[in-house]
């Protein structure tokens, strides 16, 4: 047994040497390629000048178009309004995207729709201009107020994931329907925020940010002109 160990170490050393040689060859080839490209460009310096002359105006045009598109999208977002009848007519997934668009309208530039299988209670995530992280669970009811009311069990699920899993500062249950009184009591105890049909109608149709309509929000994370 003592005679076989040096053989094993020798094989490992050979493998390490082969890997080292391969890495060295690849690195040398990459360096040689870079040197060749630089040399080729230096000899043909006028190509760089032509490329620069062409690239500068093209870049200016692209930047202007991008700025115009961004201004147009921002103006469209600020003008976004929904009536309750429009929201009632949406599918559940469309409802989630509508809530995301409303958060974008309000200035949450990173708002995303994340609802789906395995969403762990989060349908929309966003960061407001004051740096607070929002998690919103959406409960869409085709019948509006006539649909099933959101109750304590749904709020318990949201409470179990909103802060521990999603690290949210503001955890919101949002519905175009009703919320039960026991559910409201549980939300107050657990510092969850509720957006029922009435509040949703005001938010979606008036254009005011949601944080101006809710009370007892956590303090801002960073200074802002809105603070």
């Amino acid at each position: 047994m003592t005679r076989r160990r040096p053989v094993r170490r020798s094989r490992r050393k050979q493998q390490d040497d082969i890997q080292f040689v391969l890495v060295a060859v690849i690195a040398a080839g990459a360096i040689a390629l870079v040197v060749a490209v630089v040399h080729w460009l230096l000899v043909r310096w006028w190509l760089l000048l032509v490329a620069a002359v062409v690239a500068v105006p093209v870049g200016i045009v692209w930047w202007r178009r991008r700025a115009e598109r961004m201004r147009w999208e921002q103006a469209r977002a600020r003008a976004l309004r929904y009536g309750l009848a429009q929201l009632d007519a949406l599918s559940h997934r469309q409802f989630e995207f509508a809530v995301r668009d409303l958060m974008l309208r309000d200035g949450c530039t990173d708002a995303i729709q994340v609802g789906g299988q395995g969403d762990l209670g989060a349908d929309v995530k966003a960061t407001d201009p004051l740096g607070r992280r929002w998690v919103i669970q959406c409960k869409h009811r085709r019948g509006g107020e006539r649909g099933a009311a959101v109750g304590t069990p749904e709020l318990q699920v949201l409470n179990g994931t909103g802060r521990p899993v999603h690290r949210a500062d503001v955890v919101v249950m949002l519905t175009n329907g009703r919320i039960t009184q026991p559910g409201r009591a549980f939300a107050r105890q657990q510092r969850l925020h509720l957006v029922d049909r009435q509040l949703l109608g005001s938010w979606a149709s008036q254009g005011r940010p949601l944080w101006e309509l809710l009370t007892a929000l956590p303090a801002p994370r960073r200074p802002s002109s809105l603070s």
Side-chain angles (χ1 to χ4, degrees), residues 9-203:
R9 284 197 292 268
S10 177
R11 288 177 180 174
R12 290 174 184 171
K13 187 175 184 304
Q14 288 177 356
Q15 292 175 351
D16 292 341
D17 291 342
I18 291 172
Q19 291 177 353
F20 176 78
V21 171
L22 288 174
V23 171
V25 169
I26 293 172
I31 293 172
L33 179 61
V34 171
V35 171
V37 170
V38 171
H39 176 72
W40 188 86
L41 290 173
L42 290 175
V43 172
R44 297 164 179 81
W45 59 267
W46 54 270
L47 288 176
L48 294 176
L49 180 60
V50 171
V53 170
V54 172
V56 169
V58 170
I60 292 174
V61 171
W62 175 84
W63 181 261
R64 286 179 176 175
R65 289 182 177 176
R66 180 176 179 272
E68 290 175 359
R69 184 170 63 253
M70 290 179 63
R71 285 194 295 269
W72 181 83
E73 289 176 354
Q74 290 171 355
R76 184 181 63 175
R78 286 193 295 269
L80 181 64
R81 300 289 187 276
Y82 284 109
L84 284 173
Q86 290 176 286
L87 295 172
D88 291 343
L90 299 177
S91 67
H92 186 84
R93 185 58 56 85
Q94 290 171 335
F95 185 63
E96 293 173 0
F97 278 106
V99 172
R100 179 209 61 182
D101 291 344
L102 288 169
M103 295 298 285
L104 287 170
R105 179 199 71 184
D106 292 350
C108 302
T109 56
D110 65 345
I112 56 172
Q113 183 275 341
V114 294
Q117 187 174 5
D119 59 27
L120 298 177
D123 292 320
V124 176
K125 290 184 177 182
T127 306
D128 68 26
L130 297 176
R132 294 171 298 209
R133 292 188 290 268
W134 291 62
V135 163
I136 303 174
Q137 187 175 55
C138 303
K139 293 297 183 183
H140 183 261
R141 300 294 187 249
R142 276 284 186 178
E145 286 185 316
R146 297 187 303 277
V150 177
T152 306
E154 292 96 333
L155 287 160
Q156 288 174 334
V157 172
L158 178 60
N159 187 53
T161 60
R163 295 186 183 93
V165 176
H166 300 293
R167 306 298 182 187
D169 300 307
V170 185
V171 184
V172 179
M173 174 65 77
L174 182 149
T175 180
N176 65 323
R178 298 173 294 117
I179 300 173
T180 65
Q181 288 304 319
R184 292 180 182 276
F186 178 81
R188 284 193 297 271
Q189 294 169 1
Q190 302 301 321
R191 295 181 295 112
L192 304 177
H193 291 83
L194 302 178
V195 178
D196 59 11
R197 184 176 181 83
Q198 181 179 359
L199 186 57
L200 174 63
S202 299
W203 177 44

